């Protein structure tokens, strides 16, 4: 296991790591990751998250097959076209396709779930069907989990393609309708190397005092 790289190096090198070795992740390491997740903030500190750790073949195969099917059904030929390019998008799509083909080989599939709860802005008369899970209260835990994985030398990536077949997951894994699945994180030791993330500089996304105002010496905010 590699040494903890430190907070800022962790943040700056926490790329989606979609190529994973099949070597098992020790349960003590996984629990450390989950402890980091549950340190996250949540609305009113209600901590309405729940995690399902899937390590058995039947569960991983069930999930992997559907994930792969829906990735192709949703994005179709555009995926193969993008994967043919040698630019950053092409590399990312190739990795996403690799993950879909090998999802069932990931040592751990971590389902991050949240209690369903109507957002304040949805008035009672507009509520029908199932409420969504409170994404805002679950994503901080998801991010902590991704950072903890990186800090512990584990590869992980955030996926949401399960939205295409979530009802089937509820049935197969016995997840109650009180909860929604917010993200699925395949976790394992990385095949590749960690490297810096590629992002637009913060000033291009930042306005000061009034929308559209930048700061002398900094790049202008876009849009
Ligand atoms: C809300 C959200 C949903 C995502 N869903 C998927 C997904 O279903 N499959 C996948 O391979 N990556 C998914 N990603 C990962 C992004 O594609 C990835 O973080 C982004 O392309 C940046 O790549 P990098 O972190 O390697 O730089 C998702 C990320 C977010 C934040």
């Amino acid at each position: 296991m590699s040494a903890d790289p430190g907070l800022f190096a962790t943040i700056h090198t926490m790329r989606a790591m979609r190529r994973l070795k099949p070597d098992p992740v020790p349960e003590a390491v996984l629990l450390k990751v989950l402890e980091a997740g549950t340190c996250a903030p949540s609305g009113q500190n209600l901590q309405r998250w729940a995690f399902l750790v899937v390590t058995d073949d039947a569960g991983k195969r069930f999930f992997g097959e559907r994930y792969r099917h829906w990735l192709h059904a949703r994005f179709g030929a555009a995926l193969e076209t993008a994967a043919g390019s040698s630019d950053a998008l092409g590399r990312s799509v190739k990795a996403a396709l690799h993950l879909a083909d090998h999802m069932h080989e990931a040592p751990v599939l971590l389902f991050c779930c949240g209690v369903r709860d109507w957002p304040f802005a949805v008035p009672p008369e507009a509520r029908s069907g199932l409420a969504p899970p409170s994404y805002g209260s679950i994503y901080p835990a998801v991010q902590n989990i991704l950072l903890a994985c990186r800090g512990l030398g584990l590869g992980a990536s955030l996926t949401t393609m399960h939205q295409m077949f979530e009802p089937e997951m509820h049935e197969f894994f016995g997840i109650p309708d009180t909860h929604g699945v917010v993200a699925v994180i395949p976790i394992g030791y990385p095949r590749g190397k960690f490297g810096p993330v590629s992002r637009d500089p913060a000033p291009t996304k930042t306005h000061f005092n009034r929308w559209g105002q930048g700061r002398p010496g900094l790049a202008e905010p876009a849009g």
Side-chain angles (χ1 to χ4, degrees):
M1 197 185 307
S2 45
D4 181 347
L7 178 63
F8 281 89
T10 304
I11 290 171
H12 283 272
T13 59
M14 198 202 72
R15 289 203 302 224
M17 185 59 80
R18 300 188 179 98
R19 296 176 205 271
L20 304 173
K21 294 180 183 166
D23 315 30
V25 176
E27 200 148 301
V29 176
L30 190 61
L31 286 173
K32 209 166 171 181
V33 166
L34 290 165
E35 286 298 343
T38 56
C39 284
S42 59
Q44 300 171 63
N45 198 22
L46 290 172
Q47 304 169 51
R48 286 179 166 167
W49 39 58
F51 303 97
L52 180 63
V53 176
V54 177
T55 53
D56 74 307
D57 280 342
K60 290 193 294 184
R61 216 162 265 287
F62 169 87
F63 181 81
E65 276 166 14
R66 275 147 190 85
Y67 183 96
R68 186 175 186 284
H69 167 79
W70 280 108
L71 183 74
H72 288 273
R74 179 72 182 78
F75 294 111
L79 274 179
E80 305 299 336
T81 310
S85 134
S86 57
D87 60 9
L89 176 66
R91 286 195 298 277
S92 166
V93 171
K94 253 184 245 146
L97 287 170
H98 176 93
L99 175 64
D101 287 344
H102 296 269
M103 186 68 86
H104 60 286
E105 294 163 12
V108 178
L109 297 181
L110 179 61
F111 297 180
C112 302
C113 307
V115 170
R116 295 183 185 277
D117 200 3
W118 289 107
F120 299 144
V122 181
E125 62 277 14
R127 298 173 184 180
S128 76
L130 291 173
S134 177
Y135 293 100
S137 274
I138 307 302
Y139 266 113
V142 168
Q143 180 74 356
N144 270 12
I145 285 167
L146 294 171
L147 288 168
C149 284
R150 172 65 193 94
L152 292 164
L154 287 165
S157 55
L158 199 171
T159 78
T160 51
M161 188 51 61
H162 70 275
Q163 290 170 8
M164 303 298 291
F165 56 92
E166 189 178 339
E168 284 183 78
M169 287 168 72
H170 280 256
E171 201 175 320
F172 185 95
F173 295 101
I175 303 167
D177 274 346
T178 49
H179 288 67
V181 183
V182 171
V184 174
I185 307 180
I187 301 175
Y189 289 98
R191 281 195 192 278
K193 285 196 167 64
F194 291 108
V197 298
S198 161
R199 305 286 188 263
D200 297 336
T204 66
K205 305 287 183 187
T206 311
H207 310 253
F208 290 87
N209 295 318
R210 296 289 183 277
W211 196 263
Q213 282 183 191
R215 272 275 188 269
L218 294 180
E220 286 293 306

